[in-house]
Amino acid sequence: MSAATPTPVQLNPLGGESYRFTLPNTANAPKLARDFLTSLLRVSRHPGLVDDARLCVTELVTNAHCHTRTPLIRVHVAVNRKRVTVAVTDDGGPVGTALGTTLRPVPAATPEQEHGRGLALVESLALAWGTGSGGERHPGRTVVWFTLGRPEATA
């Protein structure tokens, strides 16, 4: 008889279903994550959240692809009747830290720049969002998550 495996902390404390998608860190990763999330939200009766979810997951997966050296990007989606929470996890440190090099500080985004406003977009669309780490079990991992909610019916 083998020892029981500890149950990880539930990403969706309100109950519902949980899905995981692991993909290689390639230029196709954002599209694969978008398509996965789109399909999932349509079958889970959240079609009204699809557009916002696609924008947000694209931003988080693109950041993992462009700004880390992680070999795998993990997308965890928790869905219940009212909300969807998406967490994107990477294993790597910032690009440019290999071989003793370091990243230069990135200046604040200006309206003319093409980059640097993605997390502000996530913040504007999500009910909540945040960052975390893999903790003791997975040191070095970075988790960025967002929660979207079904619009409440007005009386």
Side-chain angles (χ1 to χ4, degrees):
M1 179 176 262
S2 64
T5 304
T7 305
V9 175
Q10 188 178 7
L11 179 67
N12 193 6
L14 301 175
E17 298 173 344
S18 182
Y19 302 87
R20 295 177 192 269
F21 184 46
T22 302
L23 51 154
N25 185 1
T26 66
N28 291 326
K31 180 186 181 337
L32 293 169
R34 260 193 320 272
D35 292 348
F36 167 72
L37 190 55
T38 298
S39 296
L40 181 58
L41 292 180
R42 288 198 172 131
V43 300
S44 66
R45 300 180 187 195
H46 287 291
L49 300 178
V50 168
D51 291 340
D52 290 350
R54 286 173 58 89
L55 284 170
C56 292
V57 79
T58 298
E59 175 58 29
L60 300 189
V61 172
T62 299
N63 282 350
H65 170 64
C66 292
H67 302 296
T68 73
R69 56 193 155 126
T70 188
L72 298 173
I73 299 171
R74 294 168 184 82
V75 179
H76 182 172
V77 183
V79 182
N80 67 25
R81 287 185 311 110
K82 295 182 180 182
R83 295 192 176 159
V84 175
T85 299
V86 178
V88 175
T89 305
D90 66 69
D91 294 333
V95 171
T97 58
L99 304 174
T101 62
T102 57
L103 288 173
R104 293 187 305 259
V106 178
T110 64
E112 298 82 30
Q113 290 178 315
E114 293 181 19
H115 304 286
R117 292 184 298 273
L119 290 178
L121 176 67
V122 171
E123 182 175 27
S124 72
L125 296 174
L127 295 173
W129 78 280
T131 63
S133 69
E136 291 179 18
R137 188 170 178 196
H138 300 287
R141 282 191 182 170
T142 300
V143 180
V144 184
W145 60 270
F146 64 89
T147 298
L148 299 173
R150 178 177 278 177
E152 299 295 325
T154 56

